[in-house]
Amino acid sequence: MNRKTLVLPAVVGLLAPVLAACGVTGGGDGGKDAIVVGTTDQFIASKDNPAPLDPATGYEAGVWNVLRQTVQTLTHVPRSGGEPVPDAAKSCAFTDTENESYRCTLRGGLTFADGTPLTAEDVRYSIQRVLDIKSDSGPAGLLDNIDTIETKGEDEIVFHLRTPDATFPYKLATPAAAIVQKSKYPAKGAREGFQVDGSGPYTMKPEVEKGQVAKVVFTRNPKYKGDLEILNDRVELALFPDAAAMGRALDDKKVDMMTRTMSPEQAGRMLVKPEDGVKLTEMPGLAISYLGFDTDAPAVKDKAVRQAMAQVIDRGAIASQVYGSTAEPLYSLIPSTITGHTNSFFNKYGEPDTAKAARTLRAAGIDTPVKFTLHYTTDHYGPATAAEFKTLKQQLNDSKLFDVTIKGTPWAEYRPAQKRGEYEVYGMGWFPDFPDPDNYTAPFLDKNDFLNSPYRSAVAENTLIPQSRRKTDRSAASKTFEKLQDIVAEDVPVLPIWQGKQYIASREGVTGVEWAVNASADLQLWELGRRSV
């Protein structure tokens, strides 16, 4: 490929594992006992979301962590980061200098897990159905730059793009571009329920209780042909209602590793007083937390209100008081460890200043206090979310410029209501689809934005985002991304609060933990193994 490698030096350095060359099981020789991984992610079928694990409708970090184990994509991002490499494909490349035509050739002998041959037509069908279904909560926006998909024989596929897009190989590496079977996934509708089938490293079996998943059993797929080396035979993903329950399971040796989302208290306690038999691994994180706005809602329609909030909120206090060492303040949609980051919000607003915020509201003729409800989800981003929003409420109300109440709602109800525009101001998190500044800007500022926001910036949509995607060398697009961040700081359609670190706790004897979760919070369960006794 022509694309320049995008590697984050700090990320690569922190992720590099120090493993003994001997004494570690590999190649699926990890024994019959499953490696059990805990998570607080929840998968619930509901009227609003009857198909939570269909690649055409699922667009959450937890959902993608199930899909990545089971479905296959043409490309994947290697364990150490950088540009995507072939997986189901044996080769992929842009065929023009404008980054508008992308050709892939499939590996020979590919089949789905049930033995059905996998061809270029299956790839075309899978990606076209995502675009045709165009789910409100789904990932179609990642692929909507595709103009036509052309197949040539059984093993060649060409994507013709509407506009140049140097990030397209990354998008093909996401579960949005998962390859699925026609016989199991209808062309015009989602596959309801919790079963996932594909050609990826594992097959899966969900254990369902009362309409939601309690456990997912991943078993090595002997028919998998791709770039990944699978270091175990079976992994069980155990779902817990909260971090405390997950922690007790680790203490009771019912899980071997716990991932998202450990509480700040759990991580802090283990950092200060390590537990016997348990290893805490600190990893860089690219997740961010932010406030979103219905910019048509009367209370926050005037950007002066949103600017005043940006002026009042003390991000440093939220990070230190609520999250401790697990978060740091964020002054842009683009995290500090991603190429193109600039502190646009700090540059515009500086330190928290109630007097400046009051002048902003007064100049716009806004009567104070501005009254609204600040919404958050109770069960999706970790146990500290409630404390974060209590702190936000206190900061805003202490300024006397706002009269804020807070309300928490379970994610299964929260996300559909947010998409329908029922919330004036609401809290969200973002786990990147791929580690590129485009994925922190386009999902919020481009057409078909992730939040279904009424906000529009013609300059961002029509000029800056297309301009940034023309740059194969991503560092060459930094100036364009600075302009995009400045637009967000000026108009405040979203308000960044913090970016997080990741902590993974694991029991002694489990190997590959350093690789099992990458900086984007993607689970890579094939990296796990057990140390030989």
Side-chain angles (χ1 to χ4, degrees), residues 223-505:
K223 297 186 183 298
Y224 169 72
K225 290 185 178 181
D227 189 57
L228 304 175
E229 181 182 5
I230 307 166
L231 300 178
N232 58 69
D233 288 325
R234 193 175 71 176
V235 180
E236 295 180 358
L237 187 67
L239 280 63
F240 294 92
D242 51 48
M246 182 169 61
R248 289 192 294 271
L250 183 74
D251 293 339
D252 294 340
K253 299 183 180 180
K254 293 180 180 179
V255 301
D256 298 295
M257 183 176 96
M258 55 181 194
T259 59
R260 45 173 280 138
T261 305
M262 290 180 61
S263 71
E265 292 80 11
Q266 286 173 325
R269 185 169 61 248
M270 291 183 187
L271 284 169
V272 173
K273 187 179 180 181
E275 299 180 19
D276 291 340
V278 175
K279 179 178 71 171
L280 184 68
T281 303
E282 179 182 322
M283 307 173 72
L286 297 178
I288 67 170
S289 178
Y290 61 94
L291 297 181
F293 300 92
D294 177 355
T295 53
D296 280 348
V300 295
K301 185 172 185 177
D302 194 313
K303 72 177 181 181
V305 176
R306 308 192 298 268
Q307 290 174 334
M309 290 177 65
Q311 185 71 74
V312 166
I313 289 173
D314 187 340
R315 298 166 177 79
I318 292 170
S320 61
Q321 294 173 14
V322 178
Y323 293 97
S325 63
T326 65
E328 59 186 32
L330 179 64
Y331 297 93
S332 168
L333 275 177
I334 301 175
S336 59
T337 46
I338 292 286
T339 299
H341 165 83
T342 184
N343 288 316
S344 294
F345 274 81
F346 190 85
N347 296 340
K348 181 171 179 60
Y349 301 102
E351 298 290 349
D353 192 319
T354 298
K356 286 183 179 179
R359 289 196 293 271
T360 298
L361 293 171
R362 193 162 51 246
I366 305 294
D367 293 331
T368 58
V370 179
K371 187 175 182 178
F372 59 83
T373 299
L374 179 55
H375 294 266
Y376 68 95
T377 177
T378 56
D379 59 352
H380 194 65
Y381 296 120
T385 306
E388 175 185 349
F389 280 79
K390 287 179 183 177
T391 304
L392 281 167
K393 172 188 172 181
Q394 182 176 350
Q395 289 182 0
L396 291 167
N397 287 350
D398 284 352
S399 73
K400 309 300 183 184
L401 301 175
F402 300 94
D403 180 6
V404 175
T405 57
I406 57 174
K407 183 178 180 181
T409 305
W411 180 255
E413 302 170 28
Y414 182 85
R415 175 62 168 150
Q418 179 271 312
K419 291 281 286 186
R420 290 193 295 266
E422 295 180 11
Y423 302 152
E424 296 169 305
V425 189
Y426 51 89
M428 293 287 283
W430 181 252
F431 298 86
D433 306 320
F434 50 89
D436 186 279
D438 178 85
N439 198 237
Y440 290 93
T441 49
F444 304 97
L445 300 175
D446 207 355
K447 304 175 185 69
N448 303 316
D449 68 276
F450 167 72
L451 296 174
N452 197 30
S453 170
Y455 171 80
R456 286 291 173 267
S457 167
V459 173
E461 282 186 19
N462 302 326
T463 302
L464 296 178
I465 291 173
Q467 188 180 90
S468 71
R469 289 173 173 170
R470 291 180 180 273
K471 305 293 185 182
T472 302
D473 179 350
R474 302 307 288 152
S475 63
S478 291
K479 292 294 184 183
T480 303
F481 284 113
E482 287 179 15
K483 293 176 182 178
L484 285 166
Q485 290 166 90
D486 288 345
I487 287 174
V488 174
E490 171 64 29
D491 293 347
V492 200
V494 292
L495 176 52
I497 305 294
W498 54 263
Q499 75 176 83
K501 297 178 184 177
Q502 297 183 97
Y503 288 92
I504 308 299

Side-chain angles (χ1 to χ4, degrees), residues 99-133:
N99 296 335
E100 288 185 311
S101 182
Y102 194 73
R103 182 190 307 268
C104 291
T105 303
L106 297 180
R107 294 177 186 269
L110 284 178
T111 69
F112 292 102
D114 66 1
T116 303
L118 190 162
T119 69
E121 173 55 26
D122 293 301
V123 179
R124 187 208 64 76
Y125 174 85
S126 301
I127 294 177
Q128 188 61 53
R129 75 180 286 270
V130 174
L131 295 170
D132 290 344
I133 293 172

